Amino acid sequence: MIAVASNGCISSPTHGLSVTRPVASARLAPIARRSIHRAFARFAPHESLVNGMHQGMAGAKLRPQKSRSWSACMATGQQKEGVASPNPPPQTNILATAGLFTIWASLLAYAFFVAPNQTPLRDAVFIQKLVGLGDPTTTPVNAVFTQLFLAMGVWPLIYTALLIPSARSGNGVPAWPFCTLSFAAGVFALLPYMALWTPEREGSSREPRRGPRILESRMLPIATLAGAVYCIAAAALAGSDAWVAFFQLFWESRFVHVTTVDFSMLCLLAPFWVGLDASQRGFQGRAAGLAALPLLGPAIYLCLRPRAPPTADEAERQ
């Protein structure tokens, strides 16, 4: 059995004799302890500095880099958390844009180069009489076509009330210049806007904006509906002879032919924009059936649709 004495020696019994021997490691232990204490004494003054350096490095890792903008940092953080960016870039449907521009160019080419043009002088007389500049003693304008021409003044009101308040383009293209030109050019002025229009991506922070007060008032829809009812009723009561003469003019007069094609295209495009406006106002149920009625359906929809919700600023002022 081996025992360690208090003086740093090892006592080992051998054949009944107790032998005591010094151990070198036991002698060096106090020296090692003093060296360690001196080393810690030297390091102690610099300990706070080193700890501060470590804390500064850890803080630098947590702060965003200065080279990145604050918006970029916010976008990166939202993507990591699975949250969409507040103002994502709009997506452009290239096929839809190309298709609508192709239709627009085809209509222009058809109107100028393909549409029948057998009575150019009579067309000039029709235009003068319809705008109130012609001689009243000359041949009157066909009654059905007169109502069709008046209806072409109702369609721009309908599209203005649909496009400006609700159908804002995601790429920022304004609708009012095209709506203004549509009073003179009809669908030929509206198709470029429809081709450039892009829907706003879901999750966008832009609030639904209300249009001018006149577009949200009840006076404009009532006037539009009254004009649509008058044009349809007058055309229906024009008589069979007027309808036969109208179809004959359709195949002879470029003015009558292009105006009829213009009216038909406006009827075909209306359901999409009525549905878009209805979806933003929470009125999808009846909109689809109303939009299918030429001219009269969209006019009735404008009278029945709820008003657009106010923006945050308008709600605060109220």
Side-chain angles (χ1 to χ4, degrees):
M1 178 140 183
I2 299 174
V4 180
S6 60
N7 58 359
C9 298
I10 298 177
S11 175
S12 175
T14 305
H15 302 289
L17 298 175
S18 178
V19 179
T20 301
R21 296 180 303 214
V23 182
S25 59
R27 295 176 179 177
L28 296 176
I31 301 174
R33 282 196 294 270
R34 286 193 297 272
S35 300
I36 293 173
H37 283 302
R38 285 195 296 267
F40 274 110
R42 294 195 193 100
F43 179 73
H46 305 283
E47 184 177 0
S48 59
L49 177 61
V50 174
N51 290 338
M53 293 175 61
H54 282 290
Q55 292 176 0
M57 293 174 64
K61 293 179 180 179
L62 295 177
R63 289 193 297 268
Q65 298 178 0
K66 294 184 178 179
S67 59
R68 300 179 60 189
S69 62
W70 175 252
S71 59
C73 295
M74 290 295 295
T76 303
Q78 289 174 348
Q79 291 175 359
K80 289 182 179 180
E81 297 176 3
V83 180
S85 178
N87 292 313
Q91 291 181 344
T92 302
N93 192 333
I94 299 178
L95 292 179
T97 301
L100 288 173
F101 270 123
T102 302
I103 294 174
W104 177 65
S106 301
L107 287 176
L108 286 175
Y110 180 82
F112 285 102
F113 302 108
V114 181
N117 190 23
Q118 300 178 11
T119 58
L121 296 179
R122 187 170 56 182
D123 288 352
V125 173
F126 282 177
I127 294 174
Q128 291 177 1
K129 297 196 70 172
L130 288 172
V131 298
L133 299 177
D135 186 0
T137 60
T138 58
T139 304
V141 183
N142 179 265
V144 176
F145 178 69
T146 300
Q147 303 308 319
L148 179 65
F149 183 81
L150 294 177
M152 294 303 298
V154 177
W155 270 123
L157 294 176
I158 294 175
Y159 274 94
T160 300
L162 292 174
L163 297 181
I164 292 180
S166 300
R168 288 186 301 163
S169 181
N171 54 16
V173 177
W176 67 266
F178 303 92
C179 293
T180 304
L181 292 175
S182 67
F183 283 90
V187 75
F188 296 96
L190 292 175
L191 271 177
Y193 174 76
M194 297 177 183
L196 297 173
W197 179 84
T198 58
E200 292 183 338
R201 183 180 296 182
E202 295 182 1
S204 174
S205 62
R206 294 175 65 185
E207 297 178 346
R209 181 177 54 188
R210 301 178 69 177
R213 291 185 177 182
I214 188 173
L215 298 180
E216 295 292 338
S217 67
R218 293 303 178 188
M219 295 300 298
L220 179 64
I222 292 174
T224 302
L225 180 60
V229 170
Y230 172 79
C231 293
I232 294 175
L237 298 176
S240 58
D241 294 340
W243 280 97
V244 171
F246 168 74
F247 285 112
Q248 184 176 358
L249 287 172
F250 177 78
W251 295 111
E252 295 177 354
S253 168
R254 172 180 289 178
F255 180 43
V256 176
H257 191 95
V258 174
T259 304
T260 306
V261 173
D262 192 350
F263 180 87
S264 302
M265 288 298 301
L266 292 173
C267 294
L268 292 175
L269 295 171
F272 174 80
W273 301 104
V274 170
L276 179 64
D277 184 82
S279 64
Q280 297 197 6
R281 298 171 186 264
F283 194 70
Q284 298 96 325
R286 313 172 197 175
L290 292 175
L293 299 175
L295 187 63
L296 187 61
I300 296 175
Y301 166 76
L302 293 181
C303 295
L304 297 179
R305 69 176 182 177
R307 293 186 177 182
T311 62
D313 295 338
E314 292 175 345
E316 185 177 357
R317 286 197 298 268
Q318 292 176 0

